[in-house]
């Protein structure tokens, strides 16, 4: 009765399916309605683009000094705070706890997905 989500390596799934699955599994625990994160983002796999409250939305908690930054900047990972947070290992990193290595495969997948939006 649970939704089966594709892993990062599933080449039969689309880049969007894999990226949204990654965000659901790794981010939506906190970033969802009534979640503990102090934001209104929703990274649940069943949220549509508008319901994510992240695509083309200005960040409220830091912008990495990126000009015209967005949480997820449609078509530009470089302007996307989400992508930069995934690459960080300092206090700006996401997830904020137990992260000691950058998940390069996930960073590439999310960056490629953002660039296709």
């Amino acid at each position: 009765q649970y939704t089966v989500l594709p892993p990062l390596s599933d080449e039969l799934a689309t880049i969007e399916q894999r990226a949204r699955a990654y965000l659901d599994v790794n981010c939506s625990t906190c970033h969802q309605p009534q979640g503990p994160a102090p934001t209104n983002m929703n990274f649940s796999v069943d949220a549509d683009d508008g319901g994510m409250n992240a695509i083309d939305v200005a960040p409220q908690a830091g912008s990495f000094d990126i000009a015209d930054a967005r949480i997820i900047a449609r078509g530009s990972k470089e302007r996307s705070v989400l992508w930069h947070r995934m690459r960080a290992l300092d206090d700006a990193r996401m997830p904020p706890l137990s992260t000691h290595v950058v998940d390069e495969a996930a960073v590439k997948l999310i960056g490629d997905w953002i660039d296709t939006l």
Side-chain angles (χ1 to χ4, degrees):
Q1 73 198 90
Y2 295 104
T3 302
V4 176
L5 300 175
L8 292 178
S9 60
D10 184 352
E11 295 294 326
L12 297 177
T14 67
I15 191 169
E16 179 178 14
Q17 290 169 327
R18 290 181 288 143
R20 293 299 307 274
Y22 179 88
L23 292 174
D24 183 278
V25 170
N26 293 279
C27 308
S28 74
T29 301
C30 296
H31 295 288
Q32 63 170 306
Q34 289 79 49
T39 69
N40 66 348
M41 289 183 283
N42 183 1
F43 288 138
S44 299
V45 74
D46 56 352
D48 63 17
D49 284 0
M52 290 177 71
N53 300 317
I55 297 176
D56 290 329
V57 173
Q60 301 296 308
S63 66
F64 290 89
D65 294 323
I66 300 166
D68 198 27
R70 297 292 179 259
I71 297 168
I72 298 172
R74 194 177 292 278
S76 177
K77 66 181 171 266
E78 290 84 7
R79 287 184 35 237
S80 300
V81 170
L82 170 71
W83 186 71
H84 288 281
R85 287 195 187 284
M86 290 178 64
R87 298 170 58 225
L89 289 175
D90 58 12
D91 291 341
R93 72 182 179 264
M94 280 292 146
L97 301 172
S98 302
T99 305
H100 305 289
V101 220
V102 173
D103 184 341
E104 297 294 343
V107 167
K108 179 174 179 1
L109 172 70
I110 296 300
D112 290 349
W113 170 66
I114 292 169
D115 285 344
T116 66
L117 292 174

